[in-house]
Structure formats: structure tokens, C-alpha cells
Amino acid sequence: MTEAGPFALDRTATGWTLRLLGDWRLANLAALDAALAGHAWPEAGPLCLDGSALIGLDSAGLMLIHNRLRAAGVAWPAVELSGFDADHLALIRLVTDRLAAPAPTPPARFGFLARLGERVSGAAAELPGMLALLGQISEGLLGLLRRPAGFRMREFFVQLQSVGLGALPIVAMMTFLIGVVFAYLLGIQIEKYGANIFIVDGVSLAIARELSPMLVAVLVAGRSGAAFTAQIGAMKVTEEIDAIATLGLSPIKVLVLPRLLAIVVAMPLLSFFGDLMGVLGAATVAASQLDITLHTFFTRMRDVLPLDTVTYGLSKAPAFAVAIAFIACRNGFAVSRDARSVGERTTATVVTSLMAVILINALYAILNPAL
Amino acid sequence: MSTVLEVAAIRTVLAGQRLHDGVGFKVNKGEVVALIGGSGTGKTVLLRECIGLLRPESGQVRLLGESVWDLPPDGLDALRRRFGVLFQEGALFSSLSVAENVDAPLREHTRLSQALRDEVVDLKIRLAGLPPEAAGKRPAELSGGMKKRAALARALALEPEMLFLDEPTSGLDPISARAFDNLLRTLCDSLGLTALLTTHDLDTLWGMVDRVVVLHGGRVIADGPVAEVARIDHEWIRSYFTAHVAARGTADGNGSGNGIRG
Ligand SMILES: Nc1ncnc2c1ncn2[C@@H]1O[C@H](COP(=O)(O)OP(=O)(O)O)[C@@H](O)[C@H]1O
Ligand SMILES: [Mg+2]
């Protein structure tokens, strides 16, 4: 006779008896498994399972016995039961019946190369969806030209308010502070050469050409781009998009076009507002640190800042806007029906739009070398 | 027979409206009890009060020997390991596979190795009547009936002593609904589970339930075996049991107002 804690294995005249002694429940499963694993099983012979000394038994404990016996070559129907009460017999019948079908082969874990391939093919699979959305948006815009009354004016103004008006305070603060910091740093250098007045040239060019449009684009991508994706994605999850389609409305017309046009209208305005606030910030520093009065500052600016530069800076804004709106809406529609996907797509919107903004900015610089 | 759940003198006020006005009933070990009542009578709310999710205005809930609303937070957590809940919409974690959903409570509350947990997860998925291949699927890829079964597998993960189910057969076709009823009855009988469920499904009542508790006007107006309750001469009960066609399989719209309100 061998004894190992929760069970005892006895040789009988006809074969073997496995007596269950302890508490065969989930809480003890790890210990039970260890006890079973450290035990040598008899080669063959009929097995009798004895439950007369059991303290407790649940489905997990029973599964352990079943699976370990099966691994040792003792198939279940061949096991004889004795000493179990009626409740345990019912449990045994159910569990062994359900476990009778063979275990499924676990899915193969993918290696690095396979994962890489999956990512690449996943990225390539995005392309048709993007092209389709592009086509649908173009079609929607053309439809709008033919029938302007179909435009969702209300939704457009709601979006315009949240994209444009809602962003004013943060745009004001950011561009003003960047103007202050930029003028301050430039001022320290310029002062050494006694060329104080040139602060106006440097600051106004940089803000109008690069800083304000870029800053506004970053802010809008983070605020409104993320919001577009999350809104459309959540509507996708709750099947609201399908509801819109079944009501005979076009999700493009109802959701995408108002957002696209709102952002295209709002971003140049925000950029111009950013120009003003940035220059104001710089002028404040110039007045207090470099002895340049506001009057001198703005007179000088009129001479050195060509209108072309300002319009060049502002002309980037609609391009940024189209890119952000398109990426955001595409990601919104690409949300699959689970909660994590909304988060993943929202992150993707922000990252991809920022990359797109920087690329477009570089493209503008290359195409307009004279400015 | 020992009492597993005892609800006494529950009063609930939600959004300024009196929902329960002294509700009380008991559930004994091994019983399957159905809570019925019109839409908006507060069945779901009562269930949430039993499992410690929503505190009633006043009243007592004794569950598995503990007074739910007098327990310290860690005591409530320990109690929660001893019962399973099936929410109306399943409430599966949408970003996890079925197997990961069932594994979640095991991972959190036991110290089993991954290999051993995998075995337990496989067992629970089989017990819930799902094919083992369903383990790798996401909830979004499952049919309504399979979702309920996956949620049931998760509710069974920690070997609970009691199950709470909110409209387990709503949204299922009659065949799947009966199959789910049978599964539930088999599980309760074989695993020694006690169950409290809310339902609108008359076939569930007649087919698998030991006792019915009728909630109406903020009170329990009847409590007993289905055959007895169905004979009670009360206006709402009579229309409920005669409205077979209208009531069969209707989902519970919260406060949609097609039921009688107290
Ligand atoms: N958290 C809550 N706050 C306010 N009112 C609620 C809340 N939950 C439910 N209710 C209201 O309580 C009433 C009962 O709801 P419920 O228990 O879901 O009914 P049912 O019996 O159909 O399950 C409904 O009118 C519902 O609107
Ligand atoms: Mg409900």
C-alpha cells in the first residue's frame, strides 16, 4: 500500500483501488496536481475509485482525476465507482461525460516571422478600406455640389463649435507661450550683436510660416482627430452606424462630411488666431527684455513680413485638416466590435495624423523654396 | 433544508421613485427560483442588491451566511468568489477570447499554473455546452446563445455555490432557450448549485424552475411552485400567465413601460 496525502492507491485481488481521502476542490488543485504527478501509476489492471473517505469534491477536482488517469492510460468508462454519495455521482456523470470528447489541439503559437508577416499583410489590408472611404467621401462631396440642401448644417455647426471655438483657449495659450519662449531665446542671442530689432523678422517669419500651423495641427489632431475616431468607433460598436444606414441615410453624409468641412473651415481660422497670439507673446517679451516698444515692433513687422508668407502658412492648414479628418474617420469606421479596438484606433489616429502633418509640412517646404 | 439567500424588508428608492417597498423572500440550497414581474418592477435592481452592487435604502440581504451590506469591502470580495453572475447582455470582456474570459477570474483569484488553469478553462467551456473550439473565439464572433454559454462558463469558473442570472433566455430563439434551460437545470442538479434568475420566459417557468417569486407594486405578491402561483386570482398574475403569446421571448426593455408599474 502506498499513501501520498490526498489519496491512497491499494492493490486488490482484481486490480487497483484509488481511495480519495482529502478535499478535492479548486482551492487545493495545485497541491493535488503535485501529489498526483509525484506518483507512480500501476501498469494495468482494472481500477476502482473509492469516494467513501472524501471530504469534498467539485468539478475541477474531478477533472484533475479524470485527466491524470487518462494520461496514465486509464480510460474513464473502465473505472469502477464505489462509496460516492448521490450528489457526487451526479457530478461525476456530468463531468466525465463532458470531458469524453478529446481535447482540441492548442492553436500553434506564431513565431517572429509569422507575426511580422501578419503585421505587414494587416497594413496592406488597410489600403482597400482607405481607398473605399476616399471614394465615398468624393462621391458625397460631389452629391453635395449637386444638391447642397442635403448638407447637415446643424451637425456641421456643432462640430465647428467643438473643433474651432472649443480649441480657442488652448490654441491661444500654446501659441502665446511659444511666442514668448522663442522671442526670449532669440533675444538672448540677438542682444549680443546689438541687433535687437531683428527679433521682429525672426519671430514673425517663424510663427507665421511654421510654428502656428504646426502647433494648431498637433492640437487639433490630439483633440478633434481622437474625438472623431472615438465617436464613430463607439457608434460602430453599438451598431448605430448600421442603424443610420438602414434608415436610408448615408453615414458619410451624416457623420463624415460635417466633420471634414468643419475641420477644414476651423483650422485656417485657428492658425490665423495662433499667428496673432504668437506674435503678441513675442512682442510682450520684446517690449520687456529688448526695449522694443509695441509700436516699433508692429511697424517693423509690417515691413518685414510679406503677406505671401502669412498666406503660405495658412494655406497648409486646410491640407493638414483634410489629412486629420480622413485618418480619424477611417480609423473610426475600422473599429471592430470590441472595446479595446476603440482605444487602439484612437491612438492610431493621433500617431498617424501627426506623421501625416509632418510629411505634408515637408512637402510644402520643398514645393515652395522661394519663400 | 438550509437557506442560501434570504432577502428581507428591502426598500429601494431610485431617482426619487419608490421601487421596492418591503420585498422579502428566501432561496434554499439546491433550489432554482425565478423572480418575475413586469418590465421596470425592479427585478434587475433587486438582483444587483443581492450581489452587493447596489445598496438598498434599507433591508437585509443574507447570502451564503453573510450579511451582504454589513460586510467590509474585503469580506464582500471573498463572498463574491462564492457566487457567479450572468448579466443580461453576458458582459463578456469584448477584447478577450472566450478562454481568456473564463480564465480571468481564475487568474485573479487562484494561484494555479497556466497549464492547470487551461485545463479548468477547457472543462468550464465544455460544462457550459460550448464546443472546445469556441475557446479561441472573440465574443463578437459568437451567436447570442453561445455568448450566454460563454458567460455561464465564466460564472462557473470559481466553482460557485450560487448563480444569479438576469434573463438568461432573453434574446434567444425558442430552441436555444430551451437548450439553455436544460443545461442550467442539469448544471444546478449535478454541481449542487442554487440559482436565482429573473425571466419573462413562461417556458422557463413551467419547464425548469422550482419556485416563482412574483414582484408587483414594490412587493412580493406571490411565492410558490409555478402551478400554484398560476392559479392565484390576481389581476396581474392572471394576465401574465394568459399572455403566453405576448410574453414569450420578449426582451426586457428597462422602464419601457409596457408592464404594470406599482
Ligand atoms: N441606477 C439607476 N438609477 C436610476 N434609476 C434606475 C437605475 N437602475 C434602474 N433604474 C430604474 O429602476 C426601474 C427598474 O429597473 P429594472 O430593475 O431594470 O427593471 P426590470 O424589472 O425590468 O429588470 C426602471 O424604471 C429603471 O429605469
Ligand atoms: Mg431587467
Side-chain angles (χ1 to χ4, degrees), chain B residues 38-45 47 88 166-167 198 200 252-255:
Chain B
S39 289
T41 44
K43 302 183 294 296
T44 301
V45 169
L47 222 53
Q88 188 166 356
D166 197 4
E167 305 210 12
T198 73
H200 282 308
D252 177 13
N254 269 348

Side-chain angles (χ1 to χ4, degrees), chain A residues 92-184:
Chain A
I92 292 172
R93 250 198 314 280
L94 176 73
V95 170
T96 54
D97 179 52
R98 290 295 163 81
L99 285 173
T105 46
R109 304 224 184 269
F110 293 120
F112 167 75
L113 218 55
R115 277 206 305 277
L116 184 71
E118 215 168 47
R119 292 287 287 271
V120 171
S121 75
E126 293 271 292
L127 205 61
M130 290 178 74
L131 289 177
L133 184 64
L134 199 62
Q136 285 168 324
I137 292 177
S138 317
E139 189 198 5
L141 283 172
L142 279 178
L144 221 52
L145 285 182
R146 252 185 282 123
R147 219 172 61 84
F151 187 57
R152 303 262 146 182
M153 218 34 126
R154 210 184 127 78
E155 177 71 1
F156 169 73
F157 280 114
V158 168
Q159 292 299 331
L160 194 60
Q161 176 172 1
S162 82
V163 175
L165 218 54
L168 279 185
I170 183 127
V171 165
M173 194 179 78
M174 295 272 288
T175 47
F176 184 85
L177 287 179
I178 289 287
V180 166
V181 170
F182 193 59
Y184 182 73

Side-chain angles (χ1 to χ4, degrees), chain A residues 27-320:
Chain A
N28 301 326
L29 205 61
L32 295 169
D33 190 30
L36 285 172
H39 200 85
W41 292 99
E43 282 300 311
L47 187 90
C48 174
L49 196 63
D50 184 301
S52 51
L54 258 183
I55 295 174
L57 180 69
D58 65 13
S59 66
L62 188 60
M63 172 215 70
L64 194 69
I65 302 170
H66 175 276
N67 286 1
R68 293 302 170 271
L69 283 179
R70 180 160 64 186
V74 185
W76 194 262
V79 175
E80 187 190 331
L81 302 173
S82 83
F84 287 96
D85 62 27
D87 289 350
H88 288 160
L89 283 176
L91 177 71
I92 292 172
R93 250 198 314 280
L94 176 73
V95 170
T96 54
D97 179 52
R98 290 295 163 81
L99 285 173
T105 46
R109 304 224 184 269
F110 293 120
F112 167 75
L113 218 55
R115 277 206 305 277
L116 184 71
E118 215 168 47
R119 292 287 287 271
V120 171
S121 75
E126 293 271 292
L127 205 61
M130 290 178 74
L131 289 177
L133 184 64
L134 199 62
Q136 285 168 324
I137 292 177
S138 317
E139 189 198 5
L141 283 172
L142 279 178
L144 221 52
L145 285 182
R146 252 185 282 123
R147 219 172 61 84
F151 187 57
R152 303 262 146 182
M153 218 34 126
R154 210 184 127 78
E155 177 71 1
F156 169 73
F157 280 114
V158 168
Q159 292 299 331
L160 194 60
Q161 176 172 1
S162 82
V163 175
L165 218 54
L168 279 185
I170 183 127
V171 165
M173 194 179 78
M174 295 272 288
T175 47
F176 184 85
L177 287 179
I178 289 287
V180 166
V181 170
F182 193 59
Y184 182 73
L185 292 177
L186 198 61
I188 294 174
Q189 304 302 321
I190 276 179
E191 227 177 357
K192 293 182 190 158
Y193 303 96
N196 288 13
I197 192 67
F198 285 104
I199 186 101
V200 184
D201 307 39
V203 163
S204 56
L205 278 176
I207 287 177
R209 228 192 112 117
E210 298 292 336
L211 290 181
S212 173
M214 275 294 272
L215 267 177
V216 167
V218 169
L219 284 173
V220 170
R223 267 185 98 248
S224 309
F228 288 0
T229 304
Q231 286 161 359
I232 295 179
M235 292 180 77
K236 183 100 189 274
V237 172
T238 55
E239 294 182 324
E240 284 172 65
I241 305 263
D242 297 338
I244 291 174
T246 34
L247 290 176
L249 303 166
S250 142
I252 301 291
K253 254 190 222 161
V254 176
L255 298 173
V256 177
L257 293 186
R259 285 177 168 75
L260 177 72
L261 294 181
I263 204 169
V264 166
V265 170
M267 266 187 67
L269 296 176
L270 285 175
S271 290
F272 184 67
F273 180 66
D275 289 350
L276 297 183
M277 294 307 292
V279 167
L280 204 63
T284 320
V285 171
S288 65
Q289 303 278 313
L290 303 168
D291 296 326
I292 298 173
T293 62
L294 288 184
H295 181 259
T296 324
F297 190 99
F298 286 110
T299 319
R300 170 81 186 171
M301 197 172 91
R302 200 167 54 201
D303 297 339
V304 299
L305 182 65
L307 189 62
D308 277 358
T309 305
V310 178
T311 51
Y312 165 74
L314 293 182
S315 72
K316 294 183 197 176
F320 293 163

